[in-house]
Amino acid sequence: MSVPRVSTLRRLTGIAANSNRCSSTIRFRSFATTNEELRKTGLYDFHVQNGAKMVPFAGYSMPLSYGSVGQVASHNHVRTSAGLFDVGHMVQSNFRGATATAFLEWLTPSSLTTLSPYTSTLSVLLNEKGGIIDDTVITKHSDGAYYVVTNAGRRERDLSWFGAKLAEWNSSERASAGKVEHEVLEGWGLVALQGPEAASYLQSLTSYDLRGLTFGRSAFVPLEGGFNLHVARGGYTGEDGFEISIPPSQTLEVTQILSKAPVQLTGLGARDSLRLEAGMCLYGHDLDEDTSPIEAGLTWVIGKERRETGDFIGAEEVLRQLKEGPTRRRVGLIVEGPPAREGAQIYAPSQNEVIGAVTSGIPSPTLGKNIAMAYVQSGWHKKGTEVEVDVRNKLRKAVLTPMPFVKPKYWRG
């Protein structure tokens, strides 16, 4: 075994990993147009060599599936064994400085002050109207060091927002105790190892006892081959698993190590069906800048003390909705007949009244039912409520169902 490669990781430790679809039955939705020059992750050639079907997604050329393995088969493999996803298109950032905690608490409604070192939280970046600029996972390493992952499809919007708000912050009295620095980890790899066999496989490659790395926690883990990598327990599938951040020069080699049997390379097709079964949102479809965290059912990301102080961007509207209630809410649906797709209108039963619309919908490989995520008017959002959905110009019966559709299997120790 070679000497552990820790030098390239000092940028990550000194600053402060955690926290998007298709088969013949699932229609892939791309964020890219044919006129855009697509970016490539550090694993592009690796995907092509492994028979990946590459498609445009969030401005990147990404693997939809591999070889003859279909979306449903890949989905089921992750649910029963382990799959490896390239999520290197996501934007990885570090924030550091004496006032980094206060700065990030200004941008988000989350309670970062009380977050323990090397723990993570899902959060949202809010605009002045309380709309969601992006959803994000924030990992705290210390009060002055954070690692933040944001969506590839929001790259330009997020980085512009960070830049503008940093300039505003650092020129104000709020930064009197110290300015905040932002670093984008350009070219760094990020892979997600997900499934019930993910932990046992990763454990076979490390001396680190992964039983102590519970859901939402992260650590630097020594890996076979002399690597020392930031590993966060969590993911986007509802299964137990890990997201692993990798320096550019090591991404290919680490991925090769992580993708041996029983682990199966898995693309966007399965990733979408897995995340929807897990009740997780996809930005640009289930979330946008005209949607608040209250409407989206993400009220839990707003810290208790943050509700009292209201010292975050967009607080006025968010706190108003907390008090008065939103006019619409995100819900889950089980739909009869053909699957309801994005944009399908939802009607009050036996009435010519539109009360909402579907934002994501698929045939669930795990449940054998058609599931969907949607927004409906408040008052129609209760569990068990029956509605009708316009699918292929015919109204189909649907029932509001709690999410996640499939019970999560996170490792909580």
Side-chain angles (χ1 to χ4, degrees):
M1 181 177 290
S2 61
V3 176
R5 308 174 190 184
V6 299
S7 60
T8 54
L9 295 175
R10 287 175 184 156
R11 295 165 63 200
L12 191 54
T13 55
I15 314 175
N18 208 18
S19 5
N20 276 316
R21 308 169 228 243
C22 306
S23 68
S24 58
T25 59
I26 295 182
R27 297 179 293 183
F28 183 68
R29 296 173 291 178
S30 167
F31 284 127
T33 69
T34 55
N35 294 325
E36 293 177 344
E37 182 178 349
L38 297 176
R39 294 173 175 263
K40 297 178 181 178
T41 72
L43 292 173
Y44 176 86
D45 291 338
F46 173 80
H47 296 315
V48 173
Q49 291 165 7
N50 281 276
K53 178 182 178 181
M54 307 300 290
V55 297
F57 181 80
Y60 279 77
S61 180
M62 297 294 291
L64 175 64
S65 58
Y66 294 86
S68 60
V69 182
Q71 178 266 336
V72 172
S74 290
H75 175 111
N76 291 335
H77 190 81
V78 174
R79 287 278 183 250
T80 58
S81 184
L84 188 72
F85 303 82
D86 176 13
V87 287
H89 60 310
M90 306 289 277
V91 182
Q92 302 178 71
S93 292
N94 290 319
F95 290 86
R96 65 176 167 191
T99 58
T101 299
F103 173 71
L104 290 173
E105 284 195 333
W106 180 47
L107 296 191
T108 76
S110 297
S111 296
L112 304 180
T113 303
T114 57
L115 199 64
S116 300
Y118 286 89
T119 57
S120 305
T121 182
L122 176 70
S123 191
V124 287
L125 300 172
L126 298 178
N127 61 30
E128 289 85 351
K129 297 184 293 184
I132 300 173
I133 294 174
D134 202 0
D135 56 314
T136 179
V137 174
I138 300 175
T139 300
K140 181 179 186 177
H141 285 185
S142 68
D143 284 334
Y146 291 85
Y147 169 67
V148 178
V149 178
T150 50
N151 286 301
R154 300 295 285 168
R155 179 186 179 92
E156 301 307 322
R157 174 67 166 117
D158 291 344
L159 294 184
S160 175
W161 183 256
F162 287 147
K165 294 307 172 184
L166 270 170
E168 183 179 344
W169 180 271
N170 286 333
S171 63
S172 72
E173 291 186 1
R174 289 174 292 188
S176 60
K179 294 184 177 181
V180 179
E181 298 177 3
H182 176 216
E183 177 187 22
V184 179
L185 296 177
E186 294 287 9
W188 279 55
L190 188 64
V191 296
L193 181 64
Q194 302 279 291
E197 295 186 15
S200 59
Y201 182 77
L202 187 59
Q203 188 65 77
S204 72
L205 302 174
T206 181
S207 59
Y208 186 97
D209 188 353
L210 296 174
R211 290 175 298 180
L213 193 66
T214 52
F215 177 75
R217 296 195 63 85
S218 61
F220 283 90
V221 174
L223 199 67
E224 177 183 292
F227 304 97
N228 192 39
L229 305 173
H230 188 266
V231 177
R233 199 151 198 166
Y236 197 51
T237 64
E239 294 292 333
D240 182 25
F242 309 87
E243 293 192 345
I244 304 168
S245 181
I246 319 169
S249 63
Q250 303 172 17
T251 300
L252 176 59
E253 191 175 351
V254 169
T255 301
Q256 290 171 331
I257 293 172
L258 292 173
S259 58
K260 298 176 182 178
V263 179
Q264 191 175 87
L265 296 175
T266 314
L268 294 173
R271 185 167 171 83
D272 186 58
S273 53
L274 289 161
R275 72 91 191 169
L276 187 46
E277 287 186 346
M280 296 182 181
C281 299
L282 177 64
Y283 196 92
H285 302 274
D286 311 304
L287 301 175
D288 57 35
E289 291 209 39
D290 294 319
T291 301
S292 76
I294 315 302
E295 294 171 317
L298 298 175
T299 303
W300 61 271
V301 307
I302 307 169
K304 182 179 179 180
E305 67 276 14
R306 310 305 309 285
R307 303 180 191 195
E308 297 173 355
T309 60
D311 55 349
F312 57 90
I313 295 172
E316 182 178 357
E317 176 60 19
V318 168
L319 297 180
R320 186 195 68 78
Q321 289 188 20
L322 270 174
K323 181 179 180 180
E324 302 175 6
T327 57
R328 61 177 187 142
R329 299 174 189 264
R330 182 170 64 94
V331 298
L333 294 172
I334 299 291
V335 185
E336 293 183 5
R341 303 294 186 177
E342 180 181 3
Q345 292 189 319
I346 301 171
Y347 289 81
S350 304
Q351 301 178 36
N352 190 27
E353 178 190 359
V354 177
I355 58 171
V358 170
T359 54
S360 293
I362 59 164
S364 165
T366 303
L367 300 178
K369 300 176 181 179
N370 294 320
I371 62 175
M373 194 179 292
Y375 283 86
V376 297
Q377 294 176 13
S378 292
W380 289 94
H381 64 282
K382 303 295 178 60
K383 177 179 70 173
T385 299
E386 295 184 355
V387 296
E388 294 179 330
V389 183
D390 185 351
V391 182
R392 301 177 185 175
N393 297 316
K394 183 176 181 180
L395 292 180
R396 309 283 182 173
K397 292 182 179 180
V399 178
L400 269 67
T401 306
M403 293 184 288
F405 298 100
V406 175
K407 184 178 180 180
K409 301 174 184 177
Y410 305 128
W411 174 254
R412 301 188 184 275

